Amino acid sequence: MTRMTTVCLALALLWGCDTAGTGGVVSQRLFGEMPYGQTVDLYTLTNPGGVELQAITYGATIVSIRVPDRNGVLGDIVLGFDDLAGYLEDASYFGAVVGRYANRIARGRFSLDSETYELARNNGPNHLHGGVRGFDEVVWSAEAFATDSGAGVTFTHTSPDGDEGYPGTLAVQVTYTLTPDDALVVDYVATTDRPTPVNLSQHTYFNLTGDARRDVLDHVLTIDAERYTPVDSMLIPTGTLAAVAGTPFDFTAATPIGTRIDTENEQLRFGGGYDHNFVLARDGDGLMRAARLSEPTSGRVLEIYTTEPGLQFYSGNFLDGSTTGKNGHVYGHRFGFCLETQHFPDSPNQPEFPSTIVRPDDVYRSRTVFRFSTTPP
Ligand code: GLA
């Protein structure tokens, strides 16, 4: 019997292990049932150090990430719900994969190869996060794996031609790999049979204090961006790239999220706080650091690396205490933040922005790495 099989059998006695390798283990169990009867599964990824990630097939949603604080105490650093019903009712995209197009497309319309496409409008007159029934609301197929380099799960979904107004059949694959050195690697792959815009992202709300009992305003943020894309009152980019220097959007040096969030500034007024895309200062198209977060009381640190050109920093402005999440915790104003790696919003209508069009001969590939650590007191 191999060591891997022994580990699996030992863990199976405890909590139903399916897949194990020296880099971690994955277990699977039923999470809930959709109203029409389809089952939704929960995958639990655990690395050798005890860091744990849970994700469900509904929306390829990350439902928990448990990482140690500086004293080694595990805490859940993402917002979400205890059961499927919470996710079915939710309109805030907690933990989900968003697509086909993360963020907004103005007036739910774009032209491509001299044809105009009308998309679902679900954010005033605009299209947001893939439409009325985006990738956050479908049940994905899943396959677990465990190797020496990590434990993971690959979610797959095929979006039919015309889905939410988009052209082409789009085959999408999202893989979460939890590595032995406490990183979550998110890999996106997509192919299409007709040209179509694609912009996939992950919409996890983080609160590094653990178990989200307070707002995130004391979290100290660095964003590796010297420019951002200013927006109009409906959060559609104006098309210009503005310098962050001298504005509340300058996070090139580590600054608490709350320091300038309520200052008088038209852009902050439009967003109700931060809800803006930052233009990452990239050199080439490889993996580069986009942001670093540290939380002073727990010592938890999150660093984000990506191959994407942009990062949406959303400071949880629409959370207002009307949502009760895991363990009965009420999610108040700014109790979580999202850092969504992406192409820029409304790129299909902005010829100057990096293109989001994928053609039948292309393979869309994108990678984001969330790296967890702690600082000493
Ligand atoms: C995104 C948007 C926000 C908001 C949230 C969901 O991050 O940029 O404006 O719609 O999703 O509440």
Side-chain angles (χ1 to χ4, degrees), residues 281-288 306-309 343 365-367:
R282 56 170 42 265
D283 177 14
D285 55 8
L287 202 59
M288 62 153 278
T306 189
T307 57
E308 286 297 310
H343 271 56
R365 284 182 204 281
S366 172
R367 171 174 278 191

Side-chain angles (χ1 to χ4, degrees), residues 91-93 103-104 128-129 203 205 235 275 312 314 318 340:
S92 302
Y93 305 91
N103 218 310
R104 293 173 176 79
L128 174 68
H129 292 330
H203 209 287
Y205 289 70
L235 303 181
D275 197 350
Q312 181 85 4
Y314 168 56
F318 295 122
E340 303 154 57

Side-chain angles (χ1 to χ4, degrees), residues 214-216 262 272 315-321 331-336:
R214 46 168 302 184
D215 66 47
V216 293
D262 289 322
S315 52
N317 313 308
F318 295 122
L319 300 179
D320 60 4
Y331 296 148
H333 195 215
R334 300 173 177 157
F335 267 39

Side-chain angles (χ1 to χ4, degrees), residues 216-219 251 255-263 274 334:
V216 293
L217 298 179
D218 289 342
H219 285 56
F251 285 97
T255 309
I257 289 174
T259 304
R260 301 160 303 187
I261 199 168
D262 289 322
T263 53
Y274 296 102
R334 300 173 177 157

Side-chain angles (χ1 to χ4, degrees), residues 265-279:
N265 173 286
E266 186 181 59
Q267 286 296 313
L268 288 173
R269 189 153 23 90
F270 286 161
Y274 296 102
D275 197 350
H276 295 78
N277 170 65
F278 287 73
V279 179

